[in-house]
Amino acid sequence: MTNATAAAADYTTVTETPGIGATREQLTMLYTRYRYAASFCAGKTVLEVACGAGQGLGYLAQSAKAVVGGDIDQGNLEFATRVYKGRDNIELKKIDAHQMPFEDKSFDVLLLYEALYYLEDPDRFFRECRRLLCPGGLLLICTVNREWSDFNPSPFSHRYFSAKELSESLAGYGFAVETLAAFPVRRETAKDRVVSLVKRTAVRLHLMPKTMRGKQFLKRIFLGKLSPLPSEIKDGMAEYRPPVPVDTCGAVDGFKVLFVKATLPG
């Protein structure tokens, strides 16, 4: 998103900020994102774009050489600043994903988690990633799967990519792309099917809450007790469900989440 657009939006309302009630699956998704990323970050310089409240920065910094967390929303950065103040290998910066204030070839790994759909010009971001990554550098993207039947677009969003569209777009910028997915769609019980039906109906009728706190209320009703989102990711906080490779020739509608691992030539 551009600075002008972001100034009119309060992204803290759609960000998984510490203390908000979360389901077990939501905690598992959060943990899975960063544990998966950490496997590529040992000894590396890492930038997380649109880091939100920064819950994963400390987890990555345990093995990374240096970690930078950037977000366009000052309110989100304030959460992270309180948690990571004094951590030598963690830096926080207010940045626009379309034009980032770093020199060419500054990073080994770039992350963009659950934020691609907020960008007005994704292609401009992809070009910035090419510029900022060192040869052999890695871009990791995680995003909700648009082809999932229970998909619910977020406020402030611009475009959601299918697995095929995202893979082809990144390949067009010279990345070697591996597409993966996680969290299979399951409707094994009567409760699963009822919750899915209610959600799809609410989305169709535009009745879904627009904020994280509004969604928290519905989750309590349909899914029971919630746990507060932590200020920092820790090992053992949830189950790890690693993403698996998928074929993008057809629709990837059996998973809730997409991951893309895009590597620059060495």
Side-chain angles (χ1 to χ4, degrees), residues 22 39 57 97 102 104 112 120 129-130 183 198 213 242 259 263:
S39 64
L57 300 176
F102 307 105
D104 295 0
L112 183 72
E120 287 184 359
C129 292
R130 273 209 60 114
F183 296 90
V198 169
R213 293 197 179 277
F259 283 82
T263 309

Side-chain angles (χ1 to χ4, degrees), residues 20 50 66 136-137 147:
I20 287 179
E147 296 174 306

